[in-house]
Amino acid sequence: MLARAALLAAATQAFTGPRLTLRAPRRPRTAIVKASAADVFEVATGAFDWTCNLGAPAALVAGAVMATSQEYKDDESLVTREADHKWVRQAKKMIKVLLVGSFACEVLCVFVSTVTGTMLLSSGEGTAHAVKSLRGRDTAMGFLQANHEFEYLTCRLSFLNGLLSWLGAVALKYAIPQPEEGESTRKMNRFAASLLTSTMVLMVSFYNAHLNFYPNYIQMVLRWCKLAWHGVVGDPVEPLIFCGAFPFLALTTYLGYKAFTAKPDEGSDSGVSYS
């Protein structure tokens, strides 16, 4: 019980704790510096290189997720059976959700980084909606965060969330007791699940310690939600969001509720009998 409480406290501190630093805090600039296309070409090109470099590892993680999904499908280890405990059936469903969510996040990272990179190479030319005055910064990341914050946060959060979801799915898979496994195998699987969970906590803690524009991971998520909401209800309004995104979101929520509350069929939820 004490170990679980310590692990929960460590996870909470990793996600919400402020960064520890011995350096003096940076003083933000008080005045916004406007810059022309020629002035920001160098830093915009550096930001473009970052988006290109981010797409490669995101695609690699997406491929690993697909390999993991295929492996679990082949050995039928995620089939929810009537003989399973209720928490085991829900855990198997959650693994599928984590794997699909991880794949979607990594593909989103590749897509947004590619579109953002193309936009960066045309910095200063304006967009299809409005001409935007760019704010000059000394670094590529500062320029990207100041002028394209939503795209910047989407790239960073989608890559990290996809990676954590994949590791979480694998850890949860190890935590589920398998039929006909021995005591030694069960202990080793618990060790693997604990090791992966600890790695995830350390990754987020390391992530928080190297943030430049936000105090911690949770603040990044909250900032992204605020920007996403303003993007939905902002001006100009994207008609595709109201015509497509909201109805599909409602449908997905309904289907998710039905999936997690469904009872397994006789034998398995796929209708295939087993001995």
Side-chain angles (χ1 to χ4, degrees):
M1 187 66 182
L2 183 60
R4 293 181 180 179
L7 182 60
L8 179 61
T12 304
Q13 176 66 19
F15 278 86
T16 61
R19 295 184 296 133
L20 298 179
T21 178
L22 299 179
R23 296 174 296 180
R26 298 178 179 178
R27 295 182 179 179
R29 297 182 178 182
T30 56
I32 296 177
V33 180
K34 301 295 183 181
S36 63
D39 296 330
V40 303
F41 177 77
E42 183 176 355
V43 289
T45 303
F48 167 77
D49 293 338
W50 177 78
T51 59
C52 293
N53 294 331
L54 186 63
L60 181 64
V61 174
V65 172
M66 292 303 297
T68 303
S69 302
Q70 187 62 41
E71 177 185 352
Y72 293 165
K73 180 180 179 181
D74 292 340
D75 60 17
E76 299 183 352
S77 58
L78 296 184
V79 174
T80 54
R81 308 184 185 280
E82 195 174 26
D84 292 337
H85 293 290
K86 183 177 181 180
W87 76 269
V88 172
R89 293 199 298 266
Q90 298 299 327
K92 289 181 177 180
K93 296 176 181 179
M94 181 57 65
I95 291 175
K96 295 181 180 180
V97 173
L98 289 174
L99 290 176
V100 173
S102 175
F103 179 75
C105 283
E106 299 302 336
V107 172
L108 177 64
C109 180
V110 173
F111 174 76
V112 174
S113 63
T114 302
V115 175
T116 303
T118 304
M119 181 176 59
L120 286 169
L121 293 184
S122 61
S123 295
E125 300 295 335
T127 65
H129 299 296
V131 176
K132 181 179 180 180
S133 298
L134 298 176
R135 287 176 282 181
R137 289 293 187 268
D138 296 331
T139 63
M141 292 296 95
F143 173 81
L144 189 58
Q145 191 269 343
N147 297 284
H148 308 291
E149 187 178 9
F150 177 74
E151 293 80 2
Y152 169 76
L153 287 176
T154 301
C155 290
R156 297 200 64 175
L157 290 177
S158 59
F159 177 76
L160 178 64
N161 289 341
L163 187 59
L164 292 179
S165 297
W166 175 47
L167 293 177
V170 177
L172 189 56
K173 175 65 169 56
Y174 277 117
I176 295 177
Q178 302 297 326
E180 301 180 358
E181 67 177 1
E183 182 66 20
S184 177
T185 302
R186 178 89 286 267
K187 290 182 178 180
M188 180 57 66
N189 289 342
R190 289 176 178 174
F191 165 74
S194 177
L195 179 62
L196 288 175
T197 304
S198 301
T199 302
M200 293 167 58
V201 174
L202 291 175
M203 287 172 58
V204 177
S205 179
F206 183 86
Y207 195 80
N208 281 342
H210 292 79
L211 291 177
N212 290 326
F213 307 112
Y214 309 94
N216 53 59
Y217 171 79
I218 297 298
Q219 293 298 322
M220 288 182 65
V221 175
L222 294 178
R223 177 60 178 169
W224 181 88
C225 293
K226 181 179 180 180
L227 292 174
W229 175 253
H230 283 300
V232 172
V233 300
D235 184 22
V237 176
E238 292 289 349
L240 184 60
I241 294 179
F242 290 94
C243 297
F246 284 152
F248 276 106
L249 180 61
L251 177 62
T252 302
T253 303
Y254 171 76
L255 294 177
Y257 170 78
K258 297 292 289 184
F260 276 91
T261 56
K263 295 182 180 180
D265 296 329
E266 185 66 27
S268 72
D269 61 355
S270 61
V272 180
S273 60
Y274 65 94
S275 56

